Amino acid sequence: MYGSSAAFDTPKKGEEIVEDPKKLAIFEARIERGEKIEPNDWMPHEYRRQLIRMIEQHAHSEIIGALPEGTWITRAPGFKRKLALIAKVQDEIGHGHLLYAAAETLGKSREEMINDLINGKSKYSNVFNYPAKTWADVTVIGFLIDAGAIVNQLINATGSYGPYCRALERICYEESFHLKQGHEGFVYLATGTPLQRKMLQDAINRWWEPIMHFFGPPDKISQHTEKLMKWKVKMATNDDMRQKFFDQYIPKVYELGLTIPDPKFKKNDETGKWEYTEPDWDRFFEVINGNGPCNKERLEVRRWAEEHGRWVRNALYDPKYKSVMPLA
Ligand code: FAQ
């Protein structure tokens, strides 16, 4: 009972719909000119379907992404770090809501999206299926995962779908602040006692593979990149985003005397590209398909929240608008 139901005829995964060639040509010319597509504009079914898939997954990632860090609110070292972590987790939930609202403009209701999340039908980012074992894990999430998210979001904020781009712009403002907070915590541990440095290096070692996976499978096996780039939903390929992340953030790891747990990892000065050992992509697909270390636990928490928050939504439900009344 979150919002109105799908008003559009959205094709199922794999279903082919033949579009009107004239409308398609006008649409593609608009994209080519760099115009923004807005919710009431004509768009191909596949563009709508892909956007819903991607924005919905992003929204779920923010909501589930609050969980690994959320478990550390009560254990954050010191009052200031506790306050900052509470604020960050709260921002992430806010980002989830902004993104659900952007996806709703395409005709899928919030209720359907949440149902698909808790029933395991929709995906969310691989990285949030791992535990945050120590405070250093929270620090690695706050610096390197936020950095990865910003690389992706800053690029895609220049894409073609208006509501998604505007949501990304706003999210990036807040996430840039999270990144500063993450970097400060990272430097603090790296320049602290030998035990703190070791704790940080161990966390980097644990998170390296999930971070490599975070940008998606290599371009040669990515399913959606070509289509999404043609329609300017994705503005860079998975491999290009991974390289951009290395360029911007790996020097910051090295300058603190920390290492990357991959003996092959280095920048090739001739090609300008970073070389690395391919992470285990079978493990990536296992994790995103429900079999990572924490998938069951994460969805269980969301199911609990859904069930225990239902009375609040019922109390706020407005039958006239078929949605929950705004609180303000
Ligand atoms: N995790 O064909 P591609 C954050 C799936 S927000 C899970 O290459 P695409 C904030 C993909 O869905 C982080 N699944 O896919 C924060 C597809 O499966 P499907 C989230 C993944 O869409 C920070 C299949 O693999 N950001 O962190 C992943 O072209 C700190 C084939 O892949 C976004 O969602 C993955 N990493 O490119 C919060 C950004 N990668 O759907 C708390 C928006 C791929 O066919 C703390 N999304 N898959 O069953 C995107 O930019 C794109 O969707 C990619 C994947 C780049 C993630």
Side-chain angles (χ1 to χ4, degrees), residues 30-37 47 150-162 164-169 172 228-229 231-236 241 244:
R30 290 189 63 197
I31 302 241
E32 197 50 42
R33 288 196 296 273
E35 286 178 32
K36 292 278 185 248
I37 306 298
Y47 178 81
I150 290 180
V151 165
N152 171 294
Q153 289 161 184
L154 275 177
I155 295 178
N156 288 343
T158 60
S160 63
Y161 188 56
Y164 186 42
C165 296
R166 291 189 285 274
L168 289 181
E169 256 179 52
C172 282
L228 291 177
M229 292 214 28
W231 284 335
K232 296 190 181 168
V233 172
K234 260 170 101 163
M235 301 300 282
M241 295 232 191
K244 211 172 181 45

Side-chain angles (χ1 to χ4, degrees), residues 25-67:
I26 294 170
F27 169 84
E28 289 187 338
R30 290 189 63 197
I31 302 241
E32 197 50 42
R33 288 196 296 273
E35 286 178 32
K36 292 278 185 248
I37 306 298
E38 296 298 337
N40 292 328
D41 295 348
W42 185 90
M43 60 184 84
H45 288 81
E46 183 58 10
Y47 178 81
R48 185 186 299 282
R49 193 185 71 79
Q50 286 283 355
L51 272 169
I52 293 175
R53 178 189 68 82
M54 204 170 118
I55 304 173
E56 178 182 352
Q57 284 180 9
H58 192 170
H60 296 329
S61 303
E62 297 280 357
I63 301 286
I64 299 282
L67 299 178

